[in-house]
Amino acid sequence: FGPFARELVAARRGEVAQRTIENAEWALSYLLDFFADWPLPEIDVQAVDDFRRHMVRLSESRRLAIERRKPLLDGTGNPLRPLAPRTINMTIDFLRWVLSIAREYGHITENPAVGKRRRLKAERKAPVHLDSASQIEALLRAAGELDRNPRFRISDRLAIVASLIFAGPRAHELCHLLWRDVD
């Protein structure tokens, strides 16, 4: 599995956006921890289910470490947060994609990662509505705090959020806004 999956990700460089490659490498890091040395034909439904359970246990260990006030840390010293069901499902989706290519190439006869039962049930989040001035104020304060945090890639959140709230453009209109359009 490991060499095949790494080769697939490497072959996509230049074909897809860099962010897509980063997401693939992120998912692959979890998959390689579990499946790196597995021959492709030996990955079956049981193995996929075992991987899902492994991810749930990993998430739980992170949650417990945080509760004990001794969080597990990543390579940069940041605490590792528990994995949400949606996040675990993203790794399973990536596994399904890798195995679909393996099937197309004839390495396996069927894709064991296909099916709703392979994924975790993820609760749908209720839509967010800004109903009061205090909610808007809190959102703007949070955007400003994120702008001041050097760990994040962008620093224009406050301006973007304020524009979306007070001027009312659609998100895609704001994204395509040019400086010449700003008065």
Side-chain angles (χ1 to χ4, degrees):
F1 177 84
F4 180 77
R6 282 190 198 99
E7 186 178 312
L8 283 180
V9 172
R12 295 191 79 194
R13 289 190 187 281
E15 296 178 358
V16 295
Q18 179 60 29
R19 186 71 180 147
T20 302
I21 296 296
E22 290 169 7
N23 289 339
E25 289 173 342
W26 169 85
L28 191 56
S29 69
Y30 286 105
L31 291 167
L32 290 176
D33 283 345
F34 194 85
F35 288 117
D37 298 326
W38 285 56
L40 286 167
E42 289 184 18
I43 299 174
D44 57 7
V45 171
Q46 175 77 39
V48 175
D49 288 347
D50 288 344
F51 170 73
R52 183 188 64 243
R53 285 187 285 274
H54 163 76
M55 293 295 285
V56 170
R57 284 190 304 272
L58 175 64
S59 179
E60 183 64 13
S61 70
R62 289 179 177 186
R63 186 187 63 73
L64 291 173
I66 290 170
E67 285 179 5
R68 289 189 308 264
R69 303 209 183 272
K70 293 183 179 187
L72 303 171
L73 304 177
D74 67 10
T76 60
N78 293 317
L80 291 168
R81 297 185 325 216
L83 301 168
R86 181 177 177 275
T87 304
I88 294 171
N89 287 340
M90 287 170 47
T91 62
I92 294 169
D93 291 343
F94 186 75
L95 174 63
R96 181 174 49 216
W97 176 78
V98 170
L99 295 176
S100 72
I101 302 296
R103 184 171 184 251
E104 288 177 13
Y105 288 172
H107 299 307
I108 57 177
T109 57
E110 60 183 78
N111 188 339
V114 171
K116 289 183 180 180
R117 292 187 184 128
R118 304 295 72 81
R119 298 167 47 94
L120 291 174
K121 292 194 185 332
E123 293 180 21
R124 294 187 186 263
K125 292 182 180 178
V128 177
H129 300 285
L130 298 175
D131 294 331
S132 68
S134 62
Q135 290 175 335
I136 292 171
E137 183 181 350
L139 182 61
L140 292 173
R141 192 176 325 107
E145 288 174 16
L146 288 173
D147 282 348
R148 289 186 293 277
N149 189 330
R151 287 184 26 224
F152 295 101
R153 294 181 187 195
I154 64 170
S155 61
D156 300 327
R157 284 181 187 84
L158 181 57
I160 292 168
V161 171
S163 297
L164 287 169
I165 291 172
F166 297 119
R170 293 178 178 90
H172 76 274
E173 293 171 335
L174 183 65
C175 291
H176 289 87
L177 190 65
L178 302 174
W179 276 113
R180 69 173 182 236
D181 300 326
V182 178
D183 183 357

